[in-house]
Amino acid sequence: MTAAALTALVLAGLVGCSGAPGGATTGPASSASASASASAAATATDPATDPATARAFAALERRYDARLGVAAIDTGSGRTIAHRAGEQFAFASTVKVFIAAAVLDASSDADLATVVHYDRGDLLEYAPVTSEHVDTGMTVRELVDAALRSSDNTAANLLVERLGGPDAVERWLRGIGDRTTSVDRVEPDLNQAVPGDRRDTTTPERFAADLRTVLLGDALDAADRRVLRDAMLGNTTGDATIRAGVDPSWRVADKTGTASYGVRNDIAVVTPPGRDPVVLVVMTSRSDAGAEPSDALVAAATRTAVAGLSD
C-alpha cells in the first residue's frame, strides 16, 4: 500500500466511513527486534505522524524487543497517529467487543433476557463469572457483560455459538465495512497467535475504524451502544494498559487481549473532560512463543500516541 493510500484510509475513518479495506497485509512474522532500525519503523508509520513520535515508537520497539501497532484518531481535531497501523496482528480477546456488538445488534430486549444454560463441561479455564452461575445459567445480557467487563472466555464462546460460529462474527464485521479482519476460532484457540498465521488477525487501523463505528457511529442503536460502552467503562482487565497511559480524569471504555508470542493489546474510546473522544488501538507482539506480554509497553505507546495527537 502506498503512503497516500494509507493516509486516505485513515482519513476515511475520520468521517465515519468504515467501508474501505483495512490496509496492508504484512504478516505477524515481521516482529521487531532490538536491532530494528528507526528508518524501518518510520516507513511503517503514517505520513501524518510527526517524526518525533515515529522515533518514539521505534525506540519502544527496541526497548521492549517487540513489534508495535498503533492507530489513534482524535475525533474532534481530526488528527491521527499511526505506526504499523496496516500490519496484521493477532486480536486476542479484543474481538469480544465485536462479538458482543453482533449479539446486541441481532437481539431484542426479550432475546437479551433469555437465560442460556450450560454445564461444567462448557467452562474454560478462564471463566470468572460463568463458573459462578452454572446452576442457574445466565441471560444473554449478562453474558455480554461478563465477556466485556471480565473477559470471561466461556461467556464469549456461548455468545459466538448463539450467533452461529466465528463465521457469523466475521460476516457481521463485513456488514459494517470490515474487509480485513479474519475471525476463525473461539477461545482459547484464537490465542495461539503463531507468526505468519493470518487466522484471528486484524490491523490496528481496521479495529480503530470498527470501534469508532460501533461505539460512536450508527452500527448499533443508542440502547445497544450504551450497553456496550457501560460494560467497557467497567472493564476490570485494563488498569495497567491504556488506562495507565492517560490522565486519570479521562473516561476509558476499553477491551484488552493477551495471547502467545507476547501479544498484549488494548482497544479503547477515551474521552478527556470537555473534549471529543479519542479512538485508540494498541497492539503488540514478540518473536518467541513464550514471550511475556507487556502492559508497560501498551501504556508507554498510549502516552506517546496521546502526546503526538496533542503536539
Side-chain angles (χ1 to χ4, degrees):
M1 174 173 283
T2 66
L6 179 56
T7 301
L9 178 59
V10 174
L11 291 177
L14 293 176
V15 296
C17 175
S18 59
T25 57
T26 303
S30 60
S31 177
S33 68
S35 62
S37 67
S39 60
T43 300
T45 300
D46 186 272
T49 302
D50 66 276
T53 301
R55 289 192 296 270
F57 285 138
L60 288 175
E61 289 187 315
R62 293 192 298 271
R63 176 182 174 186
Y64 288 93
D65 189 22
R67 187 170 63 108
L68 171 65
V70 179
I73 305 168
D74 186 325
T75 65
S77 69
R79 294 196 64 178
T80 66
I81 295 290
H83 181 81
R84 302 193 190 277
E87 295 186 18
Q88 299 290 140
F89 286 80
F91 49 59
S93 285
T94 62
V95 76
K96 289 171 182 169
V97 172
F98 306 108
I99 293 170
V103 169
L104 290 168
D105 190 34
S107 302
S108 66
D109 287 342
D111 293 330
L112 294 176
T114 300
V115 175
V116 177
H117 294 281
Y118 51 93
D119 56 38
R120 296 206 172 271
D122 296 314
L123 295 177
L124 299 180
E125 181 178 356
Y126 190 73
V129 181
T130 51
S131 61
E132 299 296 320
H133 299 279
V134 176
D135 294 337
T136 60
M138 296 177 64
T139 66
V140 174
R141 186 186 298 273
E142 290 169 339
L143 290 173
V144 166
D145 190 81
L148 294 175
R149 196 181 299 266
S150 302
S151 203
D152 190 297
N153 285 342
T154 301
N157 281 5
L158 290 170
L159 293 173
V160 172
E161 181 180 0
R162 186 172 181 84
L163 286 168
D167 287 349
V169 181
E170 185 173 294
R171 285 195 301 273
W172 189 86
L173 286 168
R174 297 291 182 266
I176 64 168
D178 184 337
R179 301 290 182 267
T180 300
T181 303
S182 181
V183 184
D184 303 279
R185 295 167 293 182
V186 295
E187 299 281 1
D189 293 343
L190 65 84
N191 296 314
Q192 291 174 3
V194 176
D197 187 347
R198 294 180 63 84
R199 291 178 298 172
D200 302 302
T201 63
T202 191
T203 67
E205 66 190 2
R206 186 64 258 170
F207 257 24
D210 291 346
L211 192 60
R212 182 174 188 176
T213 298
V214 166
L215 282 185
L216 302 177
D218 58 3
L220 301 176
D221 65 31
D224 290 340
R225 285 199 306 273
R226 187 162 50 250
V227 170
L228 197 68
R229 182 176 60 250
D230 288 351
M232 293 173 68
L233 285 169
N235 176 32
T236 62
T237 64
D239 287 350
T241 48
I242 285 178
R243 292 169 193 259
V246 299
D247 189 282
S249 66
W250 291 26
R251 300 188 75 196
V252 178
D254 76 312
K255 182 69 198 77
T256 57
T258 305
S260 62
Y261 290 90
V263 167
R264 184 59 167 161
N265 303 331
D266 201 2
I267 68 174
V269 170
V270 298
T271 308
R275 290 170 51 191
D276 292 307
V278 172
V279 180
L280 179 59
V281 170
V282 180
M283 294 183 161
T284 72
S285 67
R286 300 179 69 184
S287 58
D288 298 326
E292 290 295 320
S294 176
D295 287 352
L297 172 56
V298 177
T302 297
R303 286 189 288 271
T304 299
V306 169
L309 288 174
S310 301
D311 289 343

